[in-house]
Amino acid sequence: MATSSVGFKSREEHRKKQELEEARKAGLAPAEIDEEGKEINPHIPQYMSSAPWYLNTEKPSLKHQRKWKSDPNYTKSWYDRGARTFKADKYRNGACENCGAMTHSTKLCIERPRKIGAKWTNKHISPDEKIESFELDYDGKRDRWNGYDMNQYARVIERYEARDEARRKFLKEKQLKKLEEKSKKQRVDEESSDDDDEDDALKLDEAKVDESKQMDFAKVEKRVRTTGGGSTGTVRNLRIREDTAKYLLNLDVNSAYYDPKTRSMREDPLPNADPNEKFYAGDNQYRMTGQALDFKKLNVHAWESFEKGQAEINMQAAPSQAELLFKNYKAAKEKLKKQMKETIMEKYGNAASKEEIPRELLLGQSEREVEYDRCGRVIKGMESSVPKSKYEEDVYINNHTSVWGSWWKDHQWGYKCCQQTIKNSYCTGVAGIEAVKEADDLMKTNIERKANSYEMSGPVTEKRLATWGSETQEDLVLDKKKLAEALKKEDERKREEKDERKRKYNVQWNDQVTPEEMEAYRMKRMHQDDPMKNFLH
C-alpha cells in the first residue's frame, strides 16, 4: 500500500492486492508494517501513502510524509519575560545611571526617571535583566502567538464576568425597589381592588426567583446539523465516562483489531480472561445472542424463498410481510411435525406410554457387590465388563454421531444422525434434516403453484405486426410494385440527407403518405435495439 514500486502486475496479483486492502480496512487482516516496525493505517489514501519514485523506497514506509529536514539547532522557545538575575549593592561602572542595572544603558532604561539617579545616590539598585539569545526556526519567526500566556486571557474573562454579575445585581435591586414602592403606594390607596394586590404580589415573587433559573434563558445550546437543515439541540454522549474504552482493555499490538472509523472491535480483546468477570467480549457476541439470531433466521428464510421462486418475500421492501410469512411458515411446519408424529404413533404405537419395565431388568441388578469412591473409581469388587467384538465399534468419522448403516431409506443405507446416504459426507445434524424437508416441501408447493398458474391462464391472442413490431390493420394489402418503388424513393431520400448537394433547388413535398411508403419507411429506418444495426450501413 505504501510502496513506490511501479512494476507490472498481472490481473490476479492486482485482485489479490485489492482483497488484502479490503480485509485490512475491515479489520480481518493485520495492518501493514513500515521500516521502523510501526503499523500503517489502512484507511490512508494511496496518494498519501505512495512514496515518490526518486526516493527509491524498497519497503512500505510513511517517512516521506514526515519532516525529515529538521535542524536540531532551531528552537521554538521564547524569552522569559520579567526574569531578574543579579542584584548589586553598589553602583558599578558602565551600569545604567538611572536604575543601576548592567544589562541596559541610560537611554534604553524603561524605569521612571529618578530625581537623582542611582549613580549618585548608590541606593535602590535594580537587578539585572535576564538576557537570552537563541536561534528561531522558520515557524518560530512567523508565530504570532509565540510566548503568549493563556492565563492573561483568563484574567480578562474574570473581569468581564464580574462586570456582568454586578450589572445583573444592580438591575435586580432596581427592579425590586420599583415594585416595593409601587406596592406601598397601592396599600395607601383605599380604592385599589384585591385583584391588583394579588397581581403585584405575584410580580414581586417573580422578581425574587432564583437567579440560576433566570440565567437558564441565556444558556447557549450547541447547534447540530441535520439532513433537513440546522436545528438547535444539546449533544449528549451516552457513553459512561467511568467505563474503560474498548481499545484500552488490551494494549497488546497483536490483540483484537480496533477500527477507529466505525469504533468497532469485532474480536474478543481478552479471550483468556474469566467470562464471569469481563463485561465486554467483542462486537461479535451481540450477533450470536438475543434477537439477532431470530433476525438472521428471518433473513435466511427470505433469501431462500426468493431464490426458490417466491418473489413476494422481500426483507427490504416489505419487512412486516416477510416476518408474518415466516411466522406462518414456522406454525405450518410445527403443525406438520405434530401430524407426522401422531400418524407414526397410530401406526407403530408409543412405547413410552406403556407400562414401565421392572427396575431389576432396567438396571441389570445382580448379587455382585462393587464399591466406588466419590470420583467414580472402583475400590472394591470387579466392575461389569462390556462385551467386545473383533470389529471396530463406536468409531465415528466426519463429525457423525452414529455409524454407517444406521439409517435406511429408498433402498439406500446412510447415517441416522443426519439422514445422509453418502458415506464420506460431513454430518450436518438436525439442521441438515430440516433443510432437506423444507426443500422438499417448497418444491412441492412450487410445482402445485406452477400447475395452477397454467390452468388459470387463458388462450394467447396473436396480433398481426408489421416489420418492426407496430400494429397494422387486419385487411391491409400491400402492392409489391408500389412497395419496391417506395423503397427506391426512401433510398434516394436518405442519400439526399447525407449529401445536401444532391438536393434540388425547387423541392416539392407531398403530404399524402401511402401504406407502401409507410411500410418502406419502417423497413429502412434505423432501430437502436437492432443487434445488426452496425452492419446495415
Side-chain angles (χ1 to χ4, degrees), residues 309-493:
Q310 294 184 3
E312 65 272 9
I313 299 179
N314 195 327
M315 272 294 296
Q316 283 72 31
S320 303
Q321 182 187 9
E323 189 173 0
L324 182 62
L325 291 172
F326 182 54
K327 189 176 180 181
N328 296 338
Y329 166 74
K330 288 195 292 185
K333 186 179 176 183
E334 291 294 330
K335 188 177 180 181
L336 189 64
K337 279 186 179 180
K338 192 175 181 181
Q339 289 178 358
M340 191 182 296
K341 187 177 180 181
E342 289 176 357
T343 52
I344 291 171
M345 285 183 179
E346 288 177 1
K347 187 174 183 180
Y348 299 103
N350 188 4
S353 62
K354 293 183 179 180
E355 296 180 359
E356 295 183 358
I357 303 173
R359 194 173 183 81
E360 293 79 10
L361 298 176
L362 184 64
L363 301 175
Q365 294 180 358
S366 63
E367 297 293 329
R368 192 170 46 181
E369 183 181 359
V370 182
E371 187 176 353
Y372 298 89
D373 61 353
R374 291 185 177 182
C375 299
R377 292 172 292 192
V378 179
I379 299 174
K380 183 179 179 182
M382 293 291 293
E383 193 175 10
S384 58
S385 59
V386 180
K388 295 182 179 180
S389 64
K390 63 179 181 178
Y391 303 104
E392 290 182 352
E393 295 181 2
D394 300 333
V395 178
Y396 307 121
I397 61 171
N398 295 336
N399 202 28
H400 287 286
T401 55
S402 59
V403 296
W404 170 259
S406 58
W407 172 257
W408 170 264
K409 186 179 180 183
D410 297 334
H411 303 282
Q412 286 183 335
W413 293 104
Y415 294 96
K416 186 180 180 181
C417 54
C418 58
Q419 297 182 4
Q420 294 195 47
T421 56
I422 301 172
K423 190 170 184 179
N424 293 327
S425 63
Y426 194 84
C427 183
T428 55
V430 183
I433 299 171
E434 293 178 355
V436 172
K437 289 181 180 178
E438 290 175 5
D440 293 341
D441 297 338
L442 192 59
M443 187 169 63
K444 290 177 182 178
T445 54
N446 288 337
I447 292 170
E448 291 175 2
R449 189 175 66 250
K450 196 170 182 181
N452 294 333
S453 64
Y454 281 134
E455 291 175 3
M456 295 296 292
S457 61
V460 180
T461 58
E462 295 184 356
K463 294 182 179 180
R464 185 182 175 188
L465 302 176
T467 308
W468 289 105
S470 60
E471 297 182 7
T472 59
Q473 300 176 5
E474 295 182 359
D475 55 349
L476 181 62
V477 179
L478 298 175
D479 191 358
K480 293 184 179 180
K481 291 182 179 181
K482 291 182 179 180
L483 182 60
E485 292 176 0
L487 289 171
K488 288 180 182 179
K489 288 181 181 179
E490 185 66 20
D491 292 336
E492 291 176 2
R493 188 183 65 80

Side-chain angles (χ1 to χ4, degrees), residues 2 15 19 38 40 45 52 58 66 113 200 212 214 249 282 366 379 402 468 499 507 537:
R15 184 183 61 79
E19 289 179 356
K38 298 179 181 178
I40 299 174
E58 297 179 356
R66 300 188 183 97
D200 294 336
S212 62
Q214 290 182 353
L249 293 174
S366 63
I379 299 174
S402 59
W468 289 105
D499 192 0
V507 181
H537 301 284

Side-chain angles (χ1 to χ4, degrees), residues 167-183 200 202-209 214:
R167 183 182 294 171
R168 281 196 298 270
K169 192 178 289 186
F170 174 73
L171 292 174
K172 186 180 177 184
E173 290 176 356
K174 192 175 180 181
Q175 187 180 9
L176 288 171
K177 210 172 199 179
K178 284 182 180 179
L179 290 171
E180 286 176 359
E181 289 176 359
K182 191 176 180 181
S183 62
D200 294 336
L202 186 61
K203 289 180 181 178
L204 189 63
D205 293 337
E206 287 178 355
K208 293 179 181 179
V209 174
Q214 290 182 353

Side-chain angles (χ1 to χ4, degrees), residues 206-247:
E206 287 178 355
K208 293 179 181 179
V209 174
D210 189 12
E211 193 174 334
S212 62
K213 293 183 180 179
Q214 290 182 353
M215 290 300 294
D216 287 342
F217 295 102
K219 186 188 292 182
V220 179
E221 294 181 342
K222 190 173 180 182
R223 192 167 185 84
V224 184
R225 299 222 172 181
T226 58
T227 54
S231 62
T232 56
T234 54
V235 180
R236 296 179 181 177
N237 193 352
L238 299 178
R239 184 176 73 84
I240 303 173
R241 293 294 175 181
E242 286 78 9
D243 292 346
T244 309
K246 300 176 186 177
Y247 50 84

